Structure formats: C-alpha cells, structure tokens
C-alpha cells in the first residue's frame, strides 16, 4: 500500500490558517478525486476542501474546532499503490504534535519539527494544495529532523528525561508568553501529548497567578473588600476579572471573521486619515419610480441597487474615490486609481460582518446589480462565498438603514478610499417649493480618505448621488 498525506492547501489572500468545522469523511471511508472531505472556516469564508487522492482514508490530522495551518498535514489516504520511498508512515504521535502546535498558534522552527517519540521520520508526498477550481500544484516533500538532546534541566533529572523535557515546548511564542509574564515554564503542567505545553496552558497559569493575591487577601485580611470577594473564591465556579473585580461572563481569543474584522478596522483607523460628509435626501420620487417599474415588469431593482447604480456613475466622474493608497518600501505613498469598479457591500451574517463584492459593477444595470446583491448575500450568509467573492472591492456601500438607524460615520473598508452609507428611509416634514409636505427622507453619508482628495471632491460625489436619488428619471436617462 501507499500512504499519501495531503497538506492543508493555500486558501488564497495570504490566509495562513483555517478552523476545521467538520469532517465529511471518516477513517476507513473510500474517497474519490475532488470529493469533498472537510469544511474549514477561514477569516474570509466557509470552504469545502476536496480530496486530491483516490483511495481509503487512513488518518484525519485534526478534529472539529481546531485551527489548522496551511502546508501542514490535513489528511492521509491509502491510494493502494506501491510503497513510496520513505522511512515510515507519519505516526499518530507526530500528527498529534502538529495539531497541538497548531492550537498554540504557530509552526515549529523552519526545517525542524518535534517528534515526542524521538524517532526521525519523513512526510509522504503532498498533493500540492488542491482546491476545486484552483487546479493541482506540484507535489512537495518535507523532512523532519530529530532535535538533539540538550543538557540537564533545573530539576536534576536524568539526561534522557531532561532532553525529553526540553522539547515539551515546541512553540517559541509559548516561551515568549511565559517570559513576558515572569512565569517559570518548568512549573507549567502541559495538557498536550506527553505533557506538551500549549499556549492555553501558559495563559491558564498566568490567569491563576493573577488571582493569587486576591485569594491571599481573602484568607488573611478580613477587610470589606476581601469579605465581598470571599463568596466567589469559596465557590470556585465564577472567575473574576482582575481589573474590575466583576464576574466574567465569557472570555475568548478572537478568531476567524471576528479577528479579521478587528484587525481590518484597527488598520483602517490607524492608516487612513478619514473625514465624513453627509446630506439628507428626498427619495420620494425614487420610491414611486421603483413601484412603477414593479407594476410594469413584475419585479424591480432594490432601492440599494438603484442607489448603487448612481454611485458607480458618480465614481466615474470622481475617480479619486475609487482608488487606493499604498505605502512604498522607501516610505513613499503610491496612489492607484482604478479603471472600473468592484462594488463591495456590507452583509451581516451569523459569522459576523463580511463584504462581498460585485466584480465589474460598472458594466451592470440596476436590475443586474440587484440580482448580484441577492446572490452574494445568500452565499455569504450560508458561509459558501469564495475568497474572490469576499476580496478585491474598490468601493463599498453600507446599508445600515436595515438596522433602523438614520446615520453612521462608517469605517472605511481598508485599503479602499471611501465608503458610502445609507440610513433608513423615514417620512419627515419637508419643504418643497416653499410648502411643507410629508416626504420620504434618507440620510446619505460618505467617509473618505483625505489623502486621495479634498472635501470639495467628496462633496461633489455625494451631491451627485443625492441629486440622482432626488430626481431618478432624469439621472437614469443620462447614465
């Protein structure tokens, strides 16, 4: 027989890890080439991983809920062919070591991995990162080397035991975390295979150490503060926050979409000097026009699609807002203006806020835009949007009116230069030709990168879109 190990493929857009949501196959199952074998969730979307091999599943190198690293063992398949040159099939121990290291959030040092059994071995031929629609790359081979024993540890154990203990922490970030918190790593009880110390073990030890002063005060000083803390310590079931003293309802490290959103928003605020302009718009005629289109054709574009059509036309007149600023290696700034629009739109899903984008939106009419919005929103909410669907936008529209709010100074979708926000449509008293009437009003906001243009350009774009919304027949006739 021949065992081939498939490495987690490159999922695109610089993503280096993915959470294993579920296995579609189990050990012993027969699989065919391109048959879906697992679902993984990246920071971008939910992705089905296909099998690059045909044969019988030998080993699943991970469990649901684990973070898996790109280019690390994912699944091993018995292809039924002749033995490939190797020193042995990847062992369960080694696979477990990989998994624990992934939970710790990093890889082993380049060219070196740790084998708790102390036996050197070699990975089987990989698949070359296969995804349906992406094609098959060239196979790669990785070789692991046994780490040489080091000197005796502080505990005075035997040389053999000390050398084993020396490799109980394979992740340099785990050691760094312990060092930064003045924690003696040798005192930490590892929960990994054969006592492997994980990042979660260090975090738990640090948390326990931070609670120690509170516990001591409770037992030795019958002050008012210690009396208040005593019920919590005695029960041992409620954790208290060390800064506020309040019980902690939940605490978790951000991952997946939430981590990506947090990083993107922080980068946007840090890198982009943004400004915001806004205007209230009378959309009474726009709503009436949409009603007439629906009566005549049986369907009509969504209000967002109509406004998006105006926005795309506005970007052709004010192209600075359809651009990007990049920092050069020498510290200089490069301003890139795009010939065409990939229109992103914010979509709320169970996994968090994502931004699908309509490619070449400048080539589509309002009906086509409406259909694409509906399609992309559906696949995004189902977690089936591909990487290309969720990246590459050049301008974004955010319809926060669906949350029943009037306005918002939206954060720019980095590295874009602007984002257009739509508030709810609500009836308000409005002066029309000197007379007070009840009209349908929508607040329109534009947050823009002040490096790409001045306020006059931003106001010109916003005014163009607002005027088109106020008199849509005239606007559509000239677009």
């Amino acid at each position: 027989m021949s065992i081939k190990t498939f490495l987690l493929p490159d999922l695109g857009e610089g993503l280096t890890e993915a959470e294993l949501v579920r296995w579609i196959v189990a050990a012993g199952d027969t699989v065919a080439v391109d048959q879906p074998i697992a679902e993984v969730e990246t920071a971008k979307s939910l992705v089905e991983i296909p099998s690059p091999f045909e044969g019988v599943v030998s080993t699943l190198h991970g469990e649901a809920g684990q973070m898996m690293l790109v280019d690390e063992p994912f699944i091993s398949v018995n292809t039924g062919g002749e033995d490939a040159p190797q020193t042995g099939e990847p062992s369960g121990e080694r696979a477990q070591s990989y998994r624990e290291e992934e939970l710790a959030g990093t890889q082993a040092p380049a060219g070196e991995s740790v084998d708790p059994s102390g036996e050197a071995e070699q990975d089987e031929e990989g698949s070359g990162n296969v995804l349906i629609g992406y094609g098959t790359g060239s196979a790669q081979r990785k070789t692991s080397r046994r780490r040489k024993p080091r000197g005796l540890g502080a505990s005075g154990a035997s040389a053999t035991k000390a050398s084993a203990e020396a490799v109980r922490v394979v992740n340099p970030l785990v050691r760094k975390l312990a060092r930064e918190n003045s924690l003696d790593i040798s005192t930490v009880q590892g929960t990994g295979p054969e006592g492997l110390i994980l990042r979660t073990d260090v975090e738990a030890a640090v948390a326990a150490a931070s609670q120690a002063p509170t516990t001591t005060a409770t037992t030795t000083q019958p002050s008012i503060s210690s009396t208040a803390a005593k019920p919590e310590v005695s029960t041992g079931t409620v954790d208290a926050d060390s800064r506020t003293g309040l019980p902690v309802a939940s605490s978790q490290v951000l991952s997946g979409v939430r981590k990506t959103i947090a990083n993107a928003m922080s980068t946007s605020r840090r890198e982009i000097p943004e400004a915001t302009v806004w205007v209230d718009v009378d959309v009474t005629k726009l709503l009436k026009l949409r009603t007439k289109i629906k009566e005549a054709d049986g369907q009509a574009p969504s209000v967002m699609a109509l406004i998006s059509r105006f926005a795309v036309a506005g970007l052709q007149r004010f192209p600075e807002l359809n651009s990007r600023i990049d920092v050069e290696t020498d510290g200089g700034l490069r301003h890139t203006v795009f010939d065409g629009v990939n229109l992103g739109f914010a979509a709320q899903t169970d996994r968090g806020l994502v931004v699908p984008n309509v490619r070449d939106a400048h080539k589509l009419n309002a009906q086509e835009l409406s259909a694409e919005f509906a399609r992309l929103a559906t696949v995004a909410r189902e977690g089936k949007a591909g990487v290309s669907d969720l990246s590459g936008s050049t301008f974004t529209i955010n319809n926060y009116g669906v949350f029943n709010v009037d306005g918002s100074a939206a954060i720019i979708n980095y590295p874009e230069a602007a984002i257009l926000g739509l508030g709810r449509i609500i009836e308000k008293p409005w002066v029309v030709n000197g007379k007070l009437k009840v009209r349908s009003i929508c607040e329109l906001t534009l947050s823009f990168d002040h490096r790409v243009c001045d306020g006059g350009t931003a106001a010109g774009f916003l005014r163009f879109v607002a005027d088109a919304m106020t008199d849509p027949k005239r606007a559509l006739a000239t677009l």
Side-chain angles (χ1 to χ4, degrees):
M1 68 176 178
S2 176
I3 303 295
K4 293 188 176 181
T5 298
F6 175 42
L7 309 182
L8 181 65
D10 180 358
L11 302 171
E13 292 295 316
L15 303 177
T16 60
E17 65 180 11
E19 180 180 348
L20 177 57
V21 177
R22 70 182 182 102
W23 287 108
I24 302 176
V25 297
D29 288 354
T30 300
V31 294
V33 174
D34 281 347
Q35 174 184 333
I37 54 175
E39 286 184 349
V40 299
E41 183 180 39
T42 71
K44 297 286 187 180
S45 62
L46 195 68
V47 179
E48 276 191 351
I49 303 294
S51 173
F53 307 127
E54 179 179 0
V56 178
V57 176
S58 173
T59 306
L60 304 178
H61 296 286
E63 300 175 356
Q66 290 186 212
M67 295 303 296
M68 311 292 289
L69 294 178
V70 168
D71 288 336
E72 297 294 356
F74 189 67
I75 188 173
S76 295
V77 177
N78 178 4
T79 59
E82 296 181 356
D83 286 337
Q86 59 178 351
T87 60
E89 177 185 351
S91 67
E93 289 185 1
R94 184 167 189 276
Q96 181 68 17
S97 176
Y98 268 113
R99 292 199 297 271
E100 297 297 353
E101 185 179 334
E102 287 159 0
L103 284 174
T106 189
Q107 301 182 26
E112 189 175 279
S113 63
V114 176
D115 178 10
S117 67
E119 297 179 358
E121 55 193 16
Q122 189 177 51
D123 285 350
E124 275 297 318
E125 181 181 21
S127 68
N129 299 342
V130 179
L131 278 180
I132 294 175
Y134 283 65
T136 305
S138 60
Q140 296 179 344
R141 184 180 303 275
K142 293 188 176 180
T143 303
S144 63
R145 302 171 184 170
R146 183 174 59 186
R147 186 173 292 180
K148 294 182 179 180
R150 300 181 182 177
L152 286 174
S155 62
S158 66
T160 302
K161 182 176 180 180
S163 63
E165 291 296 333
V167 298
R168 286 297 179 264
V169 184
V170 299
N171 187 340
L173 294 183
V174 173
R175 293 184 183 275
K176 182 173 182 291
L177 180 63
R179 187 167 59 251
E180 290 175 343
N181 288 276
S182 301
L183 180 68
D184 183 357
I185 195 72
S186 64
T187 64
V188 179
Q189 180 65 43
T191 60
E194 296 190 14
L196 181 70
I197 298 174
L198 310 178
R199 182 174 59 187
T200 52
D201 299 328
V202 173
E203 290 173 342
V206 171
S210 68
Q211 294 301 316
T214 302
T215 304
T216 303
T218 303
T219 57
T220 60
Q221 299 178 12
S223 62
I224 296 177
S225 59
S226 63
T227 303
K230 189 173 181 179
E232 177 193 320
V233 175
S234 62
T235 60
T237 58
V238 180
D239 292 332
D241 177 60
S242 59
R243 294 184 182 179
T244 65
L246 295 174
V248 176
S250 67
S251 179
Q252 59 184 8
V253 177
L254 293 180
S255 62
V257 173
R258 293 312 316 174
K259 178 181 178 181
T260 299
I261 292 173
N263 290 337
M265 296 300 98
S266 297
T267 301
S268 181
R269 284 296 196 198
R270 183 174 61 251
E271 299 289 338
I272 299 177
E274 67 180 44
T276 303
V277 291
W278 61 92
V279 64
D280 288 338
V281 185
D282 182 354
V283 295
T284 305
K285 290 182 179 180
L286 181 65
L287 298 182
K288 289 182 178 179
L289 175 62
R290 183 175 181 275
T291 299
K292 289 181 180 180
I293 294 175
K294 187 172 184 179
E295 291 174 350
D297 301 338
Q299 61 178 357
S302 65
V303 173
M304 181 174 168
L306 289 167
I307 298 174
S308 296
R309 186 68 191 89
F310 302 147
V312 170
L315 291 175
Q316 294 174 332
R317 290 166 173 78
F318 301 90
E320 298 94 332
L321 296 170
N322 186 46
S323 65
R324 183 181 70 223
I325 291 283
D326 293 307
V327 180
E328 300 280 81
T329 55
D330 61 358
L333 300 179
R334 177 180 293 276
H335 184 203
T336 302
V337 180
F338 302 104
D339 184 12
V341 180
N342 287 345
L343 186 62
F345 65 97
Q348 191 68 42
T349 72
D350 292 339
R351 300 169 57 246
L353 188 69
V354 296
V355 184
N357 79 95
V358 179
R359 300 271 172 165
D360 294 326
H362 57 286
K363 298 179 180 179
L364 306 181
N365 59 34
Q367 286 282 19
E368 292 168 334
L369 282 173
S370 186
E372 273 297 278
F373 284 154
R375 182 187 70 82
L376 287 169
T378 298
V379 297
R381 292 189 180 102
E382 292 176 351
K384 297 180 179 179
V387 173
S388 61
D389 294 328
L390 299 174
S391 60
S393 55
T394 60
F395 183 88
T396 295
I397 289 185
N398 185 4
N399 181 16
Y400 41 75
V402 297
F403 300 114
N404 203 32
V405 296
D406 296 331
S408 171
I411 298 177
I412 297 172
N413 185 26
Y414 182 86
E416 297 170 19
I419 182 170
L420 182 68
L422 311 177
R424 64 175 176 171
I425 298 175
I426 188 172
E427 291 187 340
K428 290 184 178 181
W430 199 255
V431 177
V432 181
N433 297 326
K435 295 182 180 180
L436 191 63
K437 296 185 177 181
V438 176
R439 308 289 284 185
S440 296
I441 306 300
C442 172
E443 183 176 285
L444 202 63
T445 62
L446 178 72
S447 296
F448 66 98
D449 186 338
H450 223 315
R451 296 174 299 178
V452 304
C453 67
D454 296 325
T457 300
F461 168 82
L462 191 64
R463 191 67 260 170
F464 174 88
V465 178
D467 291 344
M469 293 166 63
T470 301
D471 192 354
K473 280 188 178 180
R474 180 179 178 182
L476 291 173
T478 59
L479 293 180

